[in-house]
Amino acid sequence: MPWGYFGSHLLFLLSFSPLLFFDYTIATETETDLPLIPTDKLIVLTVATQETDGFHRFMQSAKYFNYNVKVLGNGIEWKGGDVANTIGGGQKVRLLKEALESYDDHEDLVVLFTDSYDVIFSGGPEELLKKFQQTNHKVVFAAEGLVWPDKRLADKYPVVRSGKRFLNSGGFIGYTSHVNKIAQQWDLQDNDDDQLFYTKVYINPLQRERINITLDHKSNIFQNLNGAVDEVVLTFDNGKARVKNSQYDTLPLLIHGNGPTKVQLNYFGNYIPNVWTPETGCGTCDLNMIDLSAVNDYPKVTVGIFIEQPTPFLSELFSKLMSLEYPKEKMDIFIHNAEVYHEKHIQKFWEEAKGVYRKLKVVGPEEMLSQAEARNMGMDICRQDKDCSYYFNLDADVALTNPKTLKILIEQNRKIIAPLVTRHGKLWSNFWGSLSADGYYARSEDYIDIVQSNKVGLWNVPYMANVYLIKGETLRSELKEKNHFILDRLDPDMALCRNAREMSLQREKDSPSSETFHMFRPPKGVFMYITNRHEFGRLLSMANYNTTHYNNDLWQIFENPVDWKEKYLNVNYSRIFTENFFEQPCPDVFWFPVFSEKACDELVEEMENYGEWSGSRNLDKRIAGGYENVPTDDIHMKQIGMELEWLHFIREYIAPVTLKVFAGYYTKGHAMLNFVVKYTPERQSYLRPHHDASTFTINIALNKKGVDFQGGGCKFARYNCSLDSPRKGWSFMHPGRLTHLHEGLPVTNGTRYIAVSFIDP
């Protein structure tokens, strides 16, 4: 029997049995010998009724590859329904149908129709047309592994040997005449489903053959991320960022973040097409920037400061706020303080700031506001003020060390942007690079590189917290609804970020559940960026912050060592090692800076607040044996609960000096006696000659001679050498036993305080 007769009848029979029919297009996709289609024959059409951040990203990628895109529906009302959650999108087909009427007589033209809000170009027109031509079909639709919107149609799809089986209408390419044959069949409503329409055309074997339609089964052209995230990886091809489908070993040209894959698309968008590469770094960071040095009038900023729990170094936060290089008359300050403990810090700042800033408003703990309510209140201050150009959120646990932070963020000109701040020595930061399936933290592949500044740039992220800048116009448009910090049971920052990035707050009650989504309704889709182009500061650790002391920050040497050092260490301490910044007033007696004046003052306040001075009695139950030969009027560090912190201070900051001045001696940094001595003419004014029970001793002056007291000092008898002018915050270090018999010289007026440690007893 001739093959023609048998073959034609076999095809006829198979056309009515989709389960048995293999998509013959797979077997016939071969290289064509036809001349390549010229790029001027390509028409790119998309529908965008609003210019969202996603749309601008799409257009930027198109511009990079020299695609000429015609936007349909710009500025008109969207009537296509809530396609993110249910069926809809028919308005796109109607707009396409109308647009194709002008190309009806040009059969050699090729039209690419694509979504835009959640699509990025990853390759150029030449590659696109070549891949299209190689399919040997007239129309090619994107493919995916999930069926939408009607699962019952799955069995009617042709079975494929390899690749994705089901149609996705987010992207397709074809000759205009053939695409028009599909579009002209549209006679439904704008809110009917576009994907269902195209699906019914495709699964009809006669239509599929007549129009010559196939699907891009192996993502040669279109990569839908929904259901395929694990197949897709970022790669760099000849120095350019590309997405690769590792399952099919293809380099798709349009990346579509359909359904719940927007976060993954944003990750790829941080690199593709020319956003960041290892060779060039950030290629788009300087686009559309604002030059504040060129403006006559700085924009007005509302600063919201939130103190929601006991917070270390709060006074330093206010100092850093005051030191920001931004006109104070252009700043309104809103403070929410939920802690009675911090009222004293707020009052001090109020006295310093009133009359300096344009406006100053404080809401205290008596208002009983929740975090979300307080944050909504702060944001509303800017939202309701048409002159407010920016809202700057600053949580109390942020230590901004860069005074240019506010200027830098404004100049980057993004709707929402945050400076990268991290916890010292940790990978903990104020952003998440990805989200888990349930919307919580997940680590992106580049998270560590960004935190450690191995990759530097602007990064579109799904979550940020603690410190960020939002444009006022964004608050009055995309984020104009109130209560953005309240959503489900999420914490306030998570609620804000979800509200900013997602297209709708919740699924309609009567919406059908689905495994796949075809998003088109214009979302809020506000991109949130983190920048690590500069050093900005750090996050404080709030753990174990005990407020039972008088000056609680003194105990933060373990939890927040950098902030402790910044506040309490003498500014000249590092010069000891770089410039030999120390003196030797007596043989083997070394004098060097160690404490800041703030450290001295707070330590004295702490001791006086404790108040239980020993009275310089010989009988002393605090020490082994209960008897002190040469007693002082003192309080031990152990009595105020500072023994561990003080010993750490010795190991961290005194031991390196010991090695510097006593070369070859390696201290254990151990001390049995650590105490603050109080000398007054009324109680104890001097100390008789003695040796210390130590290998060496440190003696830190905690106040100023000539200001706080008269007299005092230390005399070393063997060398007839006196140190009688101690500098506040400076320590002298000397051997304790055998060679350095010494005495405390009389204080004639006022009160002298010194901190003493007998090290390596």
Side-chain angles (χ1 to χ4, degrees):
M1 183 177 295
W3 162 250
Y5 177 88
F6 177 82
S8 62
H9 281 71
L10 179 60
L11 287 175
F12 177 81
L13 291 171
L14 288 175
S15 67
F16 290 96
S17 182
L19 282 174
L20 298 176
F21 179 72
F22 286 85
D23 186 349
Y24 66 91
T25 61
I26 299 298
T28 59
E29 290 180 3
T30 58
E31 289 281 350
T32 178
D33 296 327
L34 295 174
L36 293 178
I37 302 171
T39 57
D40 61 2
K41 298 296 184 181
L42 177 65
I43 304 162
V44 181
L45 300 177
T46 191
V47 174
T49 57
Q50 296 180 22
E51 295 188 3
T52 66
D53 285 351
F55 171 77
H56 288 298
R57 176 180 61 189
F58 168 81
M59 293 300 289
Q60 183 176 313
S61 69
K63 181 180 179 181
Y64 177 77
F65 289 112
N66 295 316
Y67 285 101
N68 185 14
V69 180
K70 181 176 181 180
V71 181
L72 309 178
N74 189 23
I76 69 172
E77 180 184 359
W78 173 252
K79 298 179 181 180
D82 185 4
V83 190
N85 294 323
T86 184
I87 60 173
Q91 186 175 357
K92 291 194 297 179
V93 189
R94 177 176 62 80
L95 291 172
L96 173 64
K97 177 181 178 180
E98 294 169 358
L100 288 175
E101 291 176 357
S102 59
Y103 302 110
D104 195 37
D105 297 332
H106 300 80
E107 294 190 359
D108 59 339
L109 296 180
V110 174
V111 60
L112 170 67
F113 189 78
T114 176
D115 287 352
S116 59
Y117 297 124
D118 54 358
V119 171
I120 302 172
F121 280 106
S122 185
E126 297 85 356
E127 185 181 354
L128 172 73
L129 291 170
K130 180 179 180 180
K131 287 184 174 181
F132 166 63
Q133 201 167 9
Q134 287 174 348
T135 66
N136 288 330
H137 288 80
K138 302 301 183 182
V139 180
V140 180
F141 276 86
E144 61 182 338
L146 304 169
V147 182
W148 170 260
D150 189 347
K151 293 182 181 179
R152 296 171 300 179
L153 299 178
D155 290 343
K156 297 185 180 298
Y157 272 87
V159 175
V160 296
R161 293 172 182 158
S162 176
K164 305 301 181 186
R165 183 181 176 189
F166 307 112
L167 178 144
N168 180 283
S169 62
F172 53 89
I173 185 173
Y175 289 99
T176 54
S177 57
H178 290 72
V179 173
N180 200 28
K181 290 177 182 178
I182 301 173
Q184 290 302 318
Q185 299 180 48
W186 176 262
D187 59 358
L188 304 173
Q189 302 301 311
D190 281 356
N191 61 354
D192 283 317
D193 195 75
D194 62 322
Q195 185 149 304
L196 182 60
F197 165 72
Y198 291 123
T199 296
K200 287 183 176 180
V201 173
Y202 175 72
I203 62 175
N204 183 316
L206 297 179
Q207 289 256 55
R208 188 168 62 247
E209 184 175 358
R210 179 176 67 87
I211 303 174
N212 198 358
I213 310 171
T214 190
L215 303 186
D216 184 24
H217 298 287
K218 295 185 178 181
S219 302
N220 278 291
I221 299 173
F222 305 100
Q223 178 62 66
N224 293 296
L225 295 178
N226 194 21
V229 168
D230 293 339
E231 302 172 8
V232 183
V233 297
L234 180 70
T235 185
F236 292 93
D237 184 30
N238 294 322
K240 295 182 179 180
R242 291 291 297 259
V243 158
K244 179 179 180 180
N245 188 304
S246 59
Q247 182 167 342
Y248 307 121
D249 196 27
T250 56
L251 295 172
L253 297 154
L254 284 89
I255 316 305
H256 183 199
N258 55 322
T261 62
K262 304 296 181 289
V263 171
Q264 188 68 14
L265 181 71
N266 292 345
Y267 165 74
F268 290 134
N270 284 329
Y271 298 90
I272 299 169
N274 67 320
V275 182
W276 193 94
T277 69
E279 291 78 13
T280 62
C282 186
T284 59
C285 286
D286 294 328
L287 293 179
N288 304 315
M289 287 187 66
I290 296 171
D291 183 4
L292 282 178
S293 65
V295 302
N296 296 322
D297 195 21
Y298 274 64
K300 198 182 102 178
V301 180
T302 296
V303 181
I305 301 173
F306 299 92
I307 309 159
E308 306 297 344
Q309 66 187 85
T311 306
F313 304 104
L314 189 64
S315 294
E316 283 61 43
L317 176 138
F318 290 126
S319 296
K320 290 177 171 65
L321 176 67
M322 296 282 284
S323 67
L324 284 177
E325 295 180 9
Y326 203 84
K328 304 295 187 291
E329 67 274 11
K330 290 294 183 180
M331 299 171 70
D332 291 351
I333 307 296
F334 169 80
I335 300 174
H336 175 246
N337 174 36
E339 289 294 330
V340 175
Y341 166 73
H342 286 305
E343 293 280 88
K344 60 183 179 181
H345 302 112
I346 304 297
Q347 183 61 37
K348 181 181 178 182
F349 174 69
W350 179 275
E351 295 299 324
E352 295 174 349
K354 64 181 181 180
V356 176
Y357 292 98
R358 184 175 176 271
K359 291 181 182 178
L360 189 59
K361 178 181 176 65
V362 177
V363 176
E366 69 280 357
E367 297 294 332
M368 302 291 288
L369 292 181
S370 69
Q371 289 192 39
E373 290 169 335
R375 291 173 189 273
N376 280 324
M377 181 183 291
M379 188 175 282
D380 279 345
I381 291 175
C382 180
R383 182 183 286 117
Q384 295 166 6
D385 181 358
K386 61 180 178 60
D387 294 326
C388 178
S389 298
Y390 295 93
Y391 177 72
F392 186 47
N393 182 97
L394 183 63
D395 287 2
D397 60 345
V398 176
L400 287 181
T401 58
N402 189 337
K404 298 181 183 297
T405 296
L406 188 51
K407 283 185 178 180
I408 290 170
L409 297 181
I410 290 173
E411 289 184 329
Q412 281 294 173
N413 195 22
R414 297 298 192 272
K415 291 178 181 178
I416 304 178
I417 186 170
L420 174 66
V421 288
T422 61
R423 191 168 292 171
H424 173 69
K426 308 289 184 182
L427 291 174
W428 186 283
S429 76
N430 63 322
F431 84 98
W432 297 348
S434 187
L435 298 176
S436 63
D438 56 0
Y440 288 85
Y441 173 80
R443 180 176 289 183
S444 61
E445 294 179 19
D446 55 4
Y447 177 82
I448 294 176
D449 283 332
I450 294 172
V451 168
Q452 296 181 341
S453 294
N454 297 322
K455 293 181 177 180
V456 175
L458 290 176
W459 312 96
N460 185 347
V461 299
Y463 171 84
M464 59 178 55
N466 306 101
V467 52
Y468 46 83
L469 185 77
I470 305 178
K471 283 188 175 182
E473 63 186 55
T474 300
L475 293 178
R476 292 183 283 272
S477 54
E478 292 100 326
L479 301 180
K480 65 182 177 182
E481 299 91 352
K482 296 185 178 182
N483 299 324
H484 278 294
F485 290 97
I486 301 175
L487 179 62
D488 298 335
R489 297 182 179 180
L490 300 176
D491 72 47
D493 287 317
M494 289 183 67
L496 172 67
C497 293
R498 182 169 150 191
N499 281 333
R501 71 176 180 263
E502 292 193 357
M503 69 196 88
S504 59
L505 299 184
Q506 60 186 4
R507 186 184 296 278
E508 297 293 336
K509 290 183 179 179
D510 56 352
S511 297
S513 60
S514 60
E515 291 178 316
T516 183
F517 301 85
H518 175 60
M519 192 281 288
F520 187 79
R521 185 174 68 84
K524 290 188 183 79
V526 181
F527 289 170
M528 297 172 286
Y529 291 91
I530 198 92
T531 173
N532 64 343
R533 300 183 73 192
H534 305 265
E535 289 287 337
F536 294 103
R538 56 190 171 268
L539 285 172
L540 299 178
S541 170
M542 310 285 271
N544 305 316
Y545 188 56
N546 187 332
T547 59
T548 61
H549 307 289
Y550 190 77
N551 290 302
N552 298 286
D553 292 352
L554 282 168
W555 277 258
Q556 287 293 298
I557 193 169
F558 292 114
E559 292 291 342
N560 293 291
V562 176
D563 299 86
W564 191 96
K565 179 180 177 180
E566 186 178 273
K567 182 175 182 178
Y568 294 125
L569 215 60
N570 193 293
V571 293
N572 291 312
Y573 174 80
S574 62
R575 295 175 63 190
I576 298 170
F577 309 99
T578 59
E579 305 172 28
N580 292 323
F581 191 74
F582 57 86
E583 300 175 19
Q584 188 175 186
C586 302
D588 285 331
V589 177
F590 298 93
W591 203 14
F592 56 91
V594 62
F595 270 164
S596 67
E597 291 206 6
K598 178 67 73 174
C600 297
D601 293 342
E602 290 193 7
L603 190 55
V604 169
E605 289 173 355
E606 198 66 42
M607 294 302 178
E608 288 293 358
N609 181 65
Y610 182 74
E612 297 182 16
W613 297 95
S614 66
S616 63
R617 292 183 291 268
N618 292 107
L619 294 177
D620 194 340
K621 295 180 180 180
R622 300 172 303 169
I623 63 176
Y627 187 86
E628 173 60 64
N629 287 319
V630 188
T632 54
D633 193 10
D634 58 43
I635 296 174
H636 289 188
M637 297 299 180
K638 187 176 293 185
Q639 290 177 265
I640 63 169
M642 192 183 277
E643 185 85 350
L644 292 178
E645 288 79 7
W646 190 261
L647 290 175
H648 185 73
F649 158 71
I650 290 173
R651 290 189 292 269
E652 194 74 15
Y653 298 109
I654 299 300
V657 181
T658 306
L659 189 60
K660 178 81 174 176
V661 299
F662 294 131
Y665 177 73
Y666 297 89
T667 176
K668 302 183 183 78
H670 180 61
M672 298 293 289
L673 287 177
N674 306 286
F675 51 95
V676 170
V677 179
K678 179 179 183 177
Y679 288 114
T680 65
E682 297 78 19
R683 293 171 63 93
Q684 181 185 21
S685 64
Y686 71 96
L687 192 63
R688 66 179 176 82
H690 64 283
H691 286 100
D692 294 336
S694 67
T695 301
F696 68 95
T697 297
I698 59 168
N699 182 320
I700 306 173
L702 299 180
N703 56 353
K704 292 182 179 179
K705 182 174 181 177
V707 176
D708 302 308
F709 63 91
Q710 300 295 329
C714 183
K715 181 179 180 180
F716 294 92
R718 182 171 182 174
Y719 308 105
N720 193 26
C721 179
S722 296
L723 190 66
D724 61 357
S725 299
R727 300 164 189 164
K728 185 177 180 181
W730 281 55
S731 173
F732 62 84
M733 177 189 294
H734 63 84
R737 295 188 183 91
L738 191 61
T739 59
H740 281 65
L741 182 73
H742 59 285
E743 62 181 299
L745 300 176
V747 171
T748 58
N749 188 35
T751 304
R752 178 191 179 200
Y753 298 93
I754 58 173
V756 179
S757 285
F758 296 162
I759 302 175
D760 293 349

